[in-house]
Amino acid sequence: MTEEKMEEVLKERHKLLERMRDSFQEELIASEIAVPDQEGASEILNVVLDMLGGGEAEEGSFGEFYFDPIHSEEDEIQRFTAAITIMDQLSEEHLPELYEAMAHINFRLPCGAYSIDKEKQFLAYRLTVPLSMELKGDTLYDAMDVCVASAINAADLYMEPLIRLAIGELTLEEMEALLP
């Protein structure tokens, strides 16, 4: 892939992120594209996902949807990520139970995973899908849309009980009893 071709890919990604942002905004969902400060970093579509959870997440969740940067002109695969932050302040006290519950849940999920960042502050759900660099236009947008919808649905599956476990309102045994 030439430098010119890489520029075309970046322009198309931008247009597709704008299209997705507009789709969220049509549904009155707050969203905006963050332009990176550093060269080579990806644009990120930030979305406030108030509709997630069953009441335990008072502020809602926060979605970040983006393509990984292109590393070389020879890349044949591009990756699109949906990262949904469920909580942004975790208590050290409940981390062991939270890690164990996430391990049991992640084993059951068909794709993606609940995770905690290395500073142990954020509980999130992440789904990254590999896509051919050959995908373009509506086909690429549809693949992005499937990733975003799948991530939102998967994050919502166990979001409320994980939050309740993280804040001490639910024990690990009670959480495990909720699992199929």
Side-chain angles (χ1 to χ4, degrees):
M1 174 183 331
T2 65
E3 189 72 33
E4 183 178 301
K5 182 82 168 153
M6 287 175 61
E7 279 299 315
E8 285 178 34
V9 168
L10 294 176
K11 284 179 184 176
E12 180 174 35
R13 287 178 175 185
H14 177 76
K15 287 179 184 176
L16 294 172
L17 287 173
E18 284 182 326
R19 181 175 165 190
M20 187 167 278
R21 177 203 59 205
D22 294 347
S23 177
F24 277 113
Q25 289 179 349
E26 285 173 12
E27 298 295 323
L28 303 177
I29 298 171
S31 56
E32 194 51 63
I33 297 174
V35 179
D37 293 336
Q38 55 194 12
E39 189 177 330
S42 297
E43 293 182 316
I44 299 173
L45 174 59
N46 296 311
V47 180
V48 177
L49 300 169
D50 288 335
M51 75 292 251
L52 286 183
E56 295 299 331
E58 294 174 13
E59 299 141 10
S61 296
F62 186 74
E64 295 176 300
F65 310 113
Y66 56 92
F67 287 95
D68 284 356
I70 299 171
H71 295 291
S72 81
E73 295 177 4
E74 287 81 37
D75 284 355
E76 294 180 17
I77 300 294
Q78 58 186 328
R79 284 178 280 294
F80 185 75
T81 296
I84 299 172
T85 300
I86 297 167
M87 290 181 74
D88 60 5
Q89 292 182 335
L90 297 175
S91 164
E92 287 275 337
E93 177 184 359
H94 302 291
L95 281 177
E97 294 88 1
L98 190 55
Y99 280 122
E100 188 167 341
M102 287 177 6
H104 292 288
I105 291 168
N106 286 340
F107 185 76
R108 290 168 169 78
L109 292 176
C111 57
Y114 290 94
S115 58
I116 295 174
D117 70 311
K118 79 176 184 179
E119 285 83 29
K120 301 175 187 160
Q121 294 296 308
F122 296 95
L123 170 62
Y125 175 84
R126 288 181 47 91
L127 172 61
T128 300
V129 295
L131 303 166
S132 170
M133 286 296 285
E134 300 299 316
L135 291 181
K136 305 270 184 258
D138 288 343
T139 306
L140 181 55
Y141 182 83
D142 290 345
M144 293 165 56
D145 194 46
V146 166
C147 177
V148 169
S150 296
I152 290 170
N153 288 328
D156 195 39
L157 276 177
Y158 298 105
M159 179 178 162
E160 185 178 353
L162 283 172
I163 290 171
R164 291 182 60 212
L165 181 69
I167 62 176
E169 287 185 2
L170 195 66
T171 66
L172 181 59
E173 293 76 26
E174 291 169 330
M175 173 76 188
E176 289 175 342
L178 297 173
L179 300 178

